[in-house]
Amino acid sequence: MKYIDEFRNGTIAINLSRKIADLAKCLDTTTIMEVCGSHTMNIYRYGLKKLLPSNIRLLSGPGCPVCVTPTSYIDTAIAISQKYSQEVLITTFGDLFRAPGSSSSLEMEKARGASVIVVYSTLDALEIAKKNDGKKVVFLGIGFETTTPTIAASIIEAEKRNLTNYFVLTSHKVMPPVMEALLRDKELNLDGFLCPAHVSTIIGSKPYEFIARDFHIPCVIAGFEPLDILQGIYMLLEQITRKESSVKIQYSRVAKYEGNPTALALLDRVFEPCDAEWRGLGIIPGSGLKLRSQYERFDAHTVFRISDFGFLINSAICNPQSAINGCICGDILRGVKLPADCKLFGKVCNPEHPVGACMVSSEGTCAAYYKYGETEP
């Protein structure tokens, strides 16, 4: 298949669902987690759960980059815009614009006069820095291995252009460590992972091998189209019924075992591993990326003395926004609760007036549930 509509063929989807049902006959309740927000959105968009037997349970994980960005990070970005209001321009991707901090959001701060600009790429942020050499331009760098290489490239380009007013506030995440954290969560009982497609085009399949080897949990890297997802589920159930565990690639037209060597080299050149805070999951060792010391001059944490904001960040960690307003985004990201379990879902919290980050992003689980009419726990 080479055309998009071929990956949405209803007849093939029905045939795949029948094959899945045949495999499921010999299984008890089997829980498969997709750890990518695009998987979640398309599962609901195309009604794929309705094609599965009742004993096959799909669960959404922490695969939305905006959703997992902690409150403290948003509070820090807001604090920079306030403390340095005359000299700083904040640039951000649009999906972070409305994400709630402890008591505000970038959208609200812009309405109050803060200099916040939504951009479509890091190149946009670089151009803004070039045209505003009297200002410090801070790009809010969040996301997984998919987008981080573009941010690494922007830093190299800024160095090449000799831009001295471009900075990145990093909050990058990497997927394999959080998947391990989920497997160690005693409230979860997972039988398989649908691994993220775009992340895997960068890192390849090798980084997931410890999951199959050490935890005996099968993994399949699946694409985002309906037939990709159904075939990925079928490939997982094949392993589960045979009591096997390995990492297989359904998305072979793009994802490879070795990943993207060019992108990986770029990441290794600019970033190094660090511990990172995830909304709802706390600090996970080795799950983040920070700028290497040779690129420290581009690091907003250093340039703007973020350590001096400790009072604000500690307050956000001790009194997270979700604890204040009753939002259960953290539990939803961990996979232990569903959006419909939240007393705010669809009532106080909706896409027009989001209370939690999972309702803000187009990849958020709550947004998917709301948009496609899922109301039952």
Side-chain angles (χ1 to χ4, degrees), residues 44-60:
Y44 291 106
R45 178 184 179 186
Y46 294 104
L48 299 186
K49 282 191 173 184
K50 295 178 175 63
L51 294 178
L52 301 179
S54 59
N55 62 328
I56 303 302
R57 180 174 179 244
L58 298 186
L59 195 61
S60 302

Side-chain angles (χ1 to χ4, degrees), residues 190-195 211-212 215-220 235-237 239-240 244-248:
L190 302 178
D191 299 295
F193 276 120
L194 274 180
C195 298
I211 296 173
F215 294 92
H216 309 292
I217 299 293
C219 300
V220 172
M235 292 169 69
L236 279 172
L237 293 181
Q239 293 191 64
I240 293 168
E244 298 174 353
S245 56
S246 62
V247 182
K248 295 185 179 296

Side-chain angles (χ1 to χ4, degrees), residues 322-351:
S322 58
I324 295 170
N325 58 32
C327 168
I328 63 167
C329 269
D331 288 337
I332 292 169
L333 289 167
R334 289 170 53 223
V336 299
K337 293 283 181 69
L338 298 176
D341 295 322
C342 181
K343 63 183 180 181
L344 307 179
F345 176 75
K347 303 178 181 70
V348 177
C349 184
N350 58 63

Side-chain angles (χ1 to χ4, degrees), residues 285-302:
S287 66
L289 294 171
K290 66 177 182 179
L291 291 173
R292 292 188 179 276
S293 58
Q294 59 263 44
Y295 296 104
E296 190 176 60
R297 65 189 181 278
F298 298 105
D299 192 342
H301 290 90
T302 302

